[in-house]
């Protein structure tokens, strides 16, 4: 019987087999796992049978969460990590070698952009391009290009990458296409639809939703031919080639770097994910209403949100996404004090997080993109008055009233 996504999420643990008839996978806090015979232990170590050997590589609770994320993305497997950055960094460290080349969006999340600087220091080269145009990605590709990396919706200016065009390009060239799906979540968009080979999700954001836990995940869609990838090491060429990439990420990424998701965090994320679809429907509806209202406000110079017809990539977003996400940003007209407006907000929280049930606001240039410097901010289209909003699930009338009274005071 075909069931809806919310139903599948709610019953995933129970139908997957849970100890003692529980409806949720319980917390497994053991760091080590024992076996009756040495032969059994050796076969688990060698990947000949399933099982756990040491909790740094996962435990039954994280395994249940990974199954849930795989279900969400419609993939073939998932590896979870302690944070989203742990997931991205471990993936790159596991799959790249000195001399390899990466093409990525120039509109990346600040910490991801910082990570690319580290990779360059280790001998990889990175080319940043305007990923809203697949032609720019094509021009940047070299014989050494191993990965193309983009985000679905850029944080904070909400540029939408040419997901379909880049996916077709990578498929034709045999290049691994990695998509960060955090801003859309697998409920609004599945990157497998545009031929992505790997998908990253920051589980800290909308998938958990409650702003009380950190986590990240890499999911293999099953679409990339790992037999053609030159950096797979011999010990991980076991079984079907479709398993090689994720196995190497788990061993050379998660195991070697130790960005392990704890059982308690995995349990919180898994429970939060049960209401992902309900929360995203409400947050996306609030975001569209709020941006539509702000766009008409006399003190607002610009509003950035893919759901607005004025957005440069609106048509692509309309075709690809179920809804337009909960991330938006706006700029005040000259002469209006951004900090005064933020300070006047009574309901909206001044915070750096995203994907929370509560609406959050932050001045971008002076905080999360401060280290980048003025020149790079301007190249990314980040004005000094830009305010990023992560829209929550409050009653919409209360949200609008809060912005209305705050704007009236500046």
């Amino acid at each position: 019987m075909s069931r809806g996504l919310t139903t599948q999420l709610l019953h995933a643990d129970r139908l997957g087999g849970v100890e003692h008839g529980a409806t949720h996978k319980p917390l497994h806090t053991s760091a080590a796992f024992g076996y009756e015979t040495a032969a059994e232990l050796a076969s688990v170590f060698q990947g000949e049978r399933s099982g756990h050997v040491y909790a740094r590589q996962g435990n039954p609770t994280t395994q249940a969460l990974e199954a849930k994320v795989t279900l969400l993305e419609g993939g073939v497997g998932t590896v979870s990590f302690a944070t989203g950055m742990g997931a991205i960094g471990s993936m790159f460290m596991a799959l790249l070698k000195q001399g390899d080349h990466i093409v990525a969006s120039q509109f990346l999340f600040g910490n991801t952009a910082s990570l690319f600087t580290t990779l360059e220091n280790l001998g990889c080269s990175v080319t940043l391009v305007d990923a809203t145009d697949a032609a720019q990605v094509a021009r940047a590709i070299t014989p050494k290009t191993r990965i193309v990396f983009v985000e679905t919706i850029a944080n904070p200016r909400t540029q939408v990458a040419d997901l379909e065009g880049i996916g077709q390009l990578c498929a034709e060239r045999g290049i691994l296409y990695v998509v960060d799906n955090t801003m859309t979540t697998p409920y609004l968009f599945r990157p497998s639809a545009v031929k992505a080979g790997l998908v990253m999700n920051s589980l800290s954001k909308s998938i958990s939703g409650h702003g009380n836990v950190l986590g990240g995940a890499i999911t293999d869609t099953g679409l990339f031919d790992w037999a053609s990838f030159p950096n797979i090491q011999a010990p991980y060429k076991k079984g079907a080639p479709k398993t090689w990439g994720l196995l190497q990420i788990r061993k050379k990424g998660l195991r070697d770097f130790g960005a392990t998701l704890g059982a308690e965090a995995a349990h919180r994320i898994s429970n939060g994910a049960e209401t992902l679809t309900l929360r995203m429907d409400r947050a996306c509806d609030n975001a569209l209403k709020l941006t539509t209202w702000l766009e008409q406000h006399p003190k607002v110079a610009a509003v950035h949100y893919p759901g607005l017809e004025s957005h440069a990539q609106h048509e692509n977003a309309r075709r690809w996404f179920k809804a337009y996400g909960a991330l938006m940003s706006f700029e005040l007209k000259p002469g209006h004090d951004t900090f005064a407006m933020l300070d006047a907000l009574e309901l909206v929280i001044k915070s750096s997080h995203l994907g929370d049930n509560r609406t959050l606001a932050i001045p971008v240039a002076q905080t999360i993109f401060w280290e980048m410097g003025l020149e790079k901010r301007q190249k990314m289209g980040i004005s000094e008055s830009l305010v990023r909003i992560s829209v929550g699930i409050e009653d919409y009338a209360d949200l609008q009233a809060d912005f209305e009274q705050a704007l009236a005071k500046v």
Side-chain angles (χ1 to χ4, degrees), residues 179-193:
V179 176
D180 183 333
N181 198 25
T182 300
M183 290 301 102
T184 31
T185 79
Y187 173 56
L188 302 185
F189 176 68
R190 280 183 173 175
S192 58

Side-chain angles (χ1 to χ4, degrees), residues 16-31:
V18 183
E19 300 89 321
H20 312 297
T23 56
H24 290 96
K25 191 70 174 181
L27 285 171
H28 287 265
T29 57
S30 180

Side-chain angles (χ1 to χ4, degrees), residues 14 32 42-43 45 47 84 88 94 98 109 121 128 164 244 250-251 255 267 301 310 328 343 360 378 386 405 410:
R14 182 177 64 86
S43 67
F45 260 92
I88 296 174
Q98 186 176 17
F109 169 57
N121 292 339
L128 301 178
E164 195 170 55
W244 294 356
R250 186 177 293 278
K251 297 295 187 180
R255 181 193 66 189
H267 193 260
S310 57
M328 56 154 290
D343 289 347
L360 314 174
Q378 289 177 337
L386 187 69
Q405 64 84 21
V410 298

Side-chain angles (χ1 to χ4, degrees), residues 372-392:
M372 186 171 289
L374 179 61
E375 184 177 346
K376 287 187 178 179
R377 288 198 297 271
Q378 289 177 337
K379 187 176 180 180
M380 294 181 69
I382 298 172
S383 74
E384 298 304 287
S385 70
L386 187 69
V387 175
R388 186 189 74 186
I389 307 293
S390 173
V391 182

Side-chain angles (χ1 to χ4, degrees), residues 91-108:
M91 174 198 65
F92 282 130
M93 291 297 184
L95 297 179
L96 295 173
K97 292 181 178 180
Q98 186 176 17
D100 286 344
H101 177 242
I102 309 158
V103 179
S105 169
Q106 70 186 38
F107 307 119
L108 288 174

Side-chain angles (χ1 to χ4, degrees), residues 286-304 308 328-333 341 387 389 391 396 399-400 403-404 407:
N286 278 350
L288 184 57
K289 289 177 180 175
L290 184 62
T291 53
T292 302
W293 176 77
L294 282 171
E295 195 173 38
Q296 304 302 318
H297 198 283
K299 294 182 181 180
V300 174
V303 182
H304 310 290
L308 297 174
M328 56 154 290
S329 57
F330 70 97
E331 304 165 39
L332 294 180
K333 289 181 177 178
M341 186 276 296
V387 175
I389 307 293
V391 182
Y396 173 71
L399 279 180
Q400 180 176 318
F403 278 99
E404 192 164 17
L407 283 164

